[in-house]
Amino acid sequence: VSREEAALVTPERASELVAFDEALKELEQLSKRQSRVVELRYFGGLTVDETATVLKVLPETVMRDWTMARTWLHRALWSRR
């Protein structure tokens, strides 16, 4: 991250990122694979098929995990507000 990009992170945005990181760690305790799907798709930018290859599961499993993980994270983040 460049200095210019780092300067764009407001205190409010920083707290959102911390909350997201904490929620993702909680999700990892519940489902390591769902957490990994989020990491690969959201942070890694991998497609469903690429994620399935990395995790050695079917693309349908990735989609199911992706849907469940997003729902769980949304609820976890909403409850922190």
Side-chain angles (χ1 to χ4, degrees), residues 60-71:
E60 293 82 2
T61 302
V62 171
M63 283 305 301
R64 191 170 35 254
D65 285 347
W66 179 238
T67 300
M68 294 296 293
R70 287 185 322 182
T71 300

Side-chain angles (χ1 to χ4, degrees), residues 33-73:
R33 191 178 68 210
Q34 286 180 11
S35 175
R36 188 76 175 121
V37 166
V38 172
E39 290 173 352
L40 293 170
R41 302 243 25 241
Y42 187 76
F43 297 111
L46 272 62
T47 65
V48 169
D49 289 335
E50 291 167 337
T51 302
T53 299
V54 169
L55 297 177
K56 298 181 175 124
V57 297
L58 294 173
E60 293 82 2
T61 302
V62 171
M63 283 305 301
R64 191 170 35 254
D65 285 347
W66 179 238
T67 300
M68 294 296 293
R70 287 185 322 182
T71 300
W72 190 92
L73 287 167

Side-chain angles (χ1 to χ4, degrees), residues 20-33:
F20 182 78
D21 183 58
E22 290 171 354
L24 191 55
K25 287 177 184 174
E26 289 175 25
L27 176 61
E28 183 179 22
Q29 297 301 310
L30 298 172
S31 174
K32 194 164 195 78
R33 191 178 68 210

